[in-house]
Amino acid sequence: MAGLEGAFLCLGNPLLDVSAVVDQAFLDKYEIKLANQILAEEKHLPMYGELAAMSNVEYIPGGAGQNTTRICQWMLQVPHATSYMGCIGDDEFGRKMTEVATSEGVNVRYQVDAATPTGTCATCIVSSERSLVANLAAANNFKLDHLLLPDNLALLHKARVVYCTGFFITVSPASIEHVAKHCAENDKIYAMNLSAPFIVQVPPFKKVLMDALPYIDFLFGNEIEAAALAASEGWEGLSLEQVALKMSRMPKANGSRPRVVVFTQGCDPTIVAVGGRVSKYPVMLLAKEQLVDTNGAGDAFVGGFMSQLVCGKDIAECCRAGNYAANTVIQRSGCTFPAKPTFTWN
């Protein structure tokens, strides 16, 4: 595992997950749906205090990209194999997040906005399904200038794989453009995630995604996001396999490698489209009573996948590691993991 320091870099929205088991009445009160991710509006803000007062509340460092980075770091077990950038506040939540991610070996390079609190994500759990409501706060204030600081730019130049979540589209399109072009010009791998249906349903966000698409070597999403993408392109009636193929064939800036499109679909096989072909990779099945919480499963899949990708492994190994990581996380509360992975490297 030599030479892996700085191999993976992620830009995203660092959020502290405020996680609690709630009931349907709570979801109805705040007009939120299970298996969905939205940005908080005014009507949602009292929710955070209500969750914090619950006896079963947990605080876990989160944000999709940070989850993926922490999982990738955990899989690799090489200090500072991964780096992460995003914006936090100068407060207790921000300090807690820094402390946890650093203790796990991630090289965190947060921009600190002293005027704005650290972002939070309400994770409302009903019988192992969840609804996420993100109050970005400081996470919304990341600037390209932070990435361009010499020490941070050095991390970009060192990275083999650079990853941005779709959620980051709402924050810093300029940063996405910068890292995407850097990867294409230097024959590195650039990856993105659809992240949530609203990213493709809101025209300004969809435009950022489609502008970045020529630079995207690996595109991730789940079946709900893939269906929303298909609808936004007017591809109703196409199967997920056909949608993945169509996305893989869209024009590319770096012709030296084909685009790989990866759609997870819960307990059904992972769909991978590349080079005009679709493959399916089965997930590790789990007894229903072992399923604790699906929060972070998709993030964990990408983290496991990336741990193999930075080592030059093939797609089958990347998917195997992704499914192992997701399987581990869904047996625990939130995006958490044991001290060491039991994954067998091939």
Side-chain angles (χ1 to χ4, degrees), residues 10-340:
C10 175
L11 278 66
N13 303 341
L15 305 172
L16 192 72
D17 282 349
V18 184
S19 177
V21 175
V22 300
D23 54 17
Q24 188 60 45
F26 185 93
L27 302 184
D28 295 342
K29 175 180 177 181
Y30 288 107
E31 300 172 24
I32 58 177
K33 296 193 291 255
L34 286 174
N36 197 21
Q37 308 90 1
I38 59 169
L39 294 177
E41 298 170 34
E42 199 69 35
K43 67 183 179 185
H44 299 121
L45 296 182
M47 176 193 299
Y48 298 89
E50 201 171 329
L51 288 171
M54 291 182 180
S55 60
N56 64 8
V57 70
E58 289 187 284
Y59 297 95
I60 304 164
Q66 186 159 239
N67 286 344
T68 289
T69 307
R70 291 170 56 231
I71 289 283
C72 183
Q73 178 63 48
W74 170 70
M75 290 285 286
L76 290 168
Q77 293 286 310
V78 174
H80 287 189
T82 64
S83 309
Y84 177 80
M85 294 183 206
C87 187
I88 62 172
D90 183 9
D91 53 23
E92 194 50 46
F93 280 177
R95 283 186 282 279
K96 180 75 183 158
M97 209 146 49
T98 306
E99 180 190 320
V100 173
T102 302
S103 73
E104 292 170 347
V106 177
N107 185 5
V108 287
R109 295 289 181 90
Y110 296 128
Q111 179 178 342
V112 178
D113 178 356
T116 315
T118 295
T120 48
C121 182
T123 305
C124 310
I125 303 165
V126 179
S127 62
S128 81
E129 280 291 325
R130 85 270 191 246
S131 181
L132 304 180
V133 185
N135 181 21
L136 295 182
N140 207 30
N141 296 339
F142 186 87
K143 298 289 184 284
L144 176 60
D145 293 353
H146 182 73
L147 172 65
L148 298 180
L149 293 173
D151 284 357
N152 295 341
L153 202 55
L155 287 178
L156 173 62
H157 290 163
K158 193 171 189 180
R160 302 174 195 175
V161 177
V162 181
Y163 175 66
C164 295
T165 59
F167 293 126
F168 194 60
I169 283 172
T170 72
V171 171
S172 186
S175 299
I176 290 174
E177 182 182 2
H178 186 90
V179 297
K181 287 184 173 172
H182 167 83
C183 288
E185 287 161 8
N186 294 279
D187 202 21
K188 297 178 175 188
I189 293 171
Y190 179 62
M192 281 196 78
N193 202 310
L194 297 175
S195 292
F198 79 84
I199 296 297
V200 295
Q201 290 162 345
V202 177
F205 299 159
K206 169 95 186 281
K207 183 181 186 305
V208 177
L209 176 71
M210 298 315 277
D211 286 349
L213 189 62
Y215 302 99
I216 298 175
D217 299 304
F218 283 77
L219 179 68
F220 295 89
N222 66 25
E223 75 278 26
I224 297 168
E225 296 148 10
L229 173 66
S232 76
E233 287 289 315
W235 297 342
E236 284 94 340
L238 291 192
S239 67
L240 285 182
E241 291 91 335
Q242 290 169 311
V243 175
L245 268 177
K246 269 182 151 327
M247 289 306 291
S248 71
R249 287 175 171 144
M250 294 269 208
K252 248 181 128 278
N254 178 356
S256 69
R257 62 169 68 88
R259 179 178 301 113
V260 180
V261 177
V262 184
F263 290 156
T264 56
Q265 33 179 7
C267 59
D268 292 326
T270 303
I271 293 168
V272 178
V274 58
R277 295 183 56 197
V278 173
S279 305
K280 289 187 174 180
Y281 297 91
V283 304
M284 299 164 69
L285 293 178
L286 196 64
K288 190 152 177 50
E289 56 272 17
Q290 289 178 282
L291 178 64
V292 175
D293 176 11
T294 56
N295 187 27
D299 307 336
F301 174 86
V302 179
F305 191 104
M306 291 298 183
S307 73
Q308 304 303 294
L309 190 64
V310 296
C311 295
K313 303 284 186 176
D314 64 20
I315 299 292
E317 279 302 285
C318 291
C319 286
R320 188 172 72 87
N323 284 321
Y324 164 80
N327 181 272
T328 302
V329 162
I330 62 177
Q331 296 183 62
R332 304 166 69 91
S333 180
C335 193
T336 61
F337 34 84
K340 292 267 168 72

